[in-house]
Amino acid sequence: MPDSTISNSPLPGLYIVATPIGNLGDITARAGAMLARADLIAAEDTRVTAKLLSHLGLRVPMTPYHDHSDERTRAALVARMADEVVVLVSDAGTPLISDPGYKLVRDARAAGRHVATLPGPCAAIAAITLSGLPSDRFLFAGFLPSKTKARADMLAEFAGLRATLVFYESGPRLASALAAMAEGLGNRQAAVAREISKMFEECVTGTLTELAARYADAPPKGEIVVVVGPPGEAAIEQADDATLDTALREAMADKPVAQAAKAVAKRFGLNRHDIYARALTLKDAD
């Protein structure tokens, strides 16, 4: 059966097209051909996509599709998919990764439209490959909340997960985010990747505390991905009764029981309620 995304006359419908995250030379031949055959490109920012089209020597009608696009906008796009080729792109990388494109895909499928994807660059995946951290199991978490409590709550959800964590972040928030990660996840190994595929690409590795200190007075520029390693196996293996009791007593020396239990649970990747019950038992015994 011929590939409907490569033929000279692709089927009407929605095509999710990944675009370069930095170096425009990373556009795939298939993605370039699909952009050329599109009747309409739904772009996160038409000004950004216009630069890519200019690089490819293309002139294709575009319409904005972004965080603030409403149901009426989606309905209009889905209607056009009945007999036109609509291509969805983000400013960089793979659409739907930390953007609202899934709603358009959902509505297109509900309407019975043809939906296809043209895979390509993705900053989260590229950063994992650069980090040198375990890649067999990972969680993409997008951007952390800006408010302190919401950020801490989100990190608490991930603290016991035995997987590499991947976050997007901005330069001005980077140091505080790294410090919050160290507090909420423990001082794990991590990597800060920025400007991936561009001239000044870099990937700096170290512990979360070391990286927070590095960027405290020097917020970096560019698109940033933070990759955080899973809980250390050594720490988990050493979490026997004696180790836990010592850690709890030390934590309770200057913290209320609930806070001490929370800190120790995060440190060893254990259930907070179980550690809280153990802390209460220790307190009563002492």
Side-chain angles (χ1 to χ4, degrees):
M1 182 176 179
D3 185 344
S4 64
T5 66
I6 297 179
S7 66
N8 289 329
S9 300
L11 295 173
L14 175 64
Y15 294 83
I16 306 155
V17 175
T19 57
I21 57 178
N23 192 318
L24 295 181
D26 289 339
I27 189 75
T28 67
R30 188 167 172 237
M34 182 53 64
L35 289 170
R37 294 165 185 157
D39 295 301
L40 179 69
I41 297 175
E44 183 178 0
D45 186 330
T46 56
R47 295 167 299 180
V48 173
T49 302
K51 295 178 183 178
L52 175 62
L53 295 180
S54 176
H55 171 77
L56 296 172
L58 300 176
R59 292 178 64 87
V60 182
M62 291 187 286
T63 188
Y65 186 78
H66 45 63
D67 284 339
H68 305 294
S69 296
D70 56 18
E71 186 175 345
R72 181 165 30 178
T73 300
R74 288 194 297 276
L77 288 171
V78 171
R80 294 191 64 166
M81 293 172 201
D83 51 22
E84 292 183 320
V85 171
V86 177
V87 167
L88 175 67
V89 298
S90 61
D91 285 350
T94 301
L96 281 70
I97 305 301
S98 203
D99 78 33
Y102 80 91
K103 296 177 182 178
L104 184 60
V105 174
R106 176 196 62 197
D107 290 1
R109 288 199 173 281
R113 304 293 188 248
H114 175 74
V115 178
T117 187
L118 281 68
C122 175
I125 300 300
I128 291 173
T129 67
L130 288 170
S131 71
L133 293 167
S135 56
D136 55 331
R137 181 188 297 180
F138 61 87
L139 171 75
F140 172 68
F143 286 90
L144 285 171
S146 56
K147 294 185 181 296
T148 301
K149 184 180 184 306
R151 183 167 58 186
D153 288 345
M154 178 181 282
L155 290 170
E157 293 178 26
F158 304 145
L161 186 64
R162 299 193 187 189
T164 292
L165 306 175
V166 185
F167 301 91
Y168 286 166
E169 198 46 85
S170 66
R173 298 188 349 160
L174 179 60
S176 63
L178 290 166
M181 291 175 195
E183 173 69 22
L185 302 173
N187 194 25
R188 303 184 190 181
Q189 290 295 314
V192 174
R194 56 182 290 273
E195 297 292 85
I196 297 173
S197 82
K198 299 180 183 178
M199 181 180 297
F200 298 107
E201 172 183 294
E202 69 173 6
C203 183
V204 181
T205 59
T207 66
L208 285 167
T209 301
E210 290 168 345
L211 292 170
R214 176 189 177 101
Y215 293 109
D217 298 317
K221 296 180 179 179
E223 303 295 327
I224 298 165
V225 185
V226 179
V227 184
V228 183
E233 292 299 326
I236 293 171
E237 290 171 3
Q238 293 170 10
D240 54 23
D241 289 351
T243 301
L244 285 175
D245 289 350
T246 298
L248 282 168
R249 286 191 174 97
E250 290 175 352
M252 287 190 294
D254 58 4
K255 291 185 180 70
V257 176
Q259 291 183 17
K262 181 178 179 181
V264 172
K266 288 179 180 178
R267 174 179 167 185
F268 292 106
L270 299 173
N271 183 280
R272 184 176 64 180
H273 298 293
D274 293 343
I275 299 304
Y276 179 66
R278 188 179 192 90
L280 289 176
T281 300
L282 281 177
K283 185 180 179 183
D284 292 341
D286 293 342

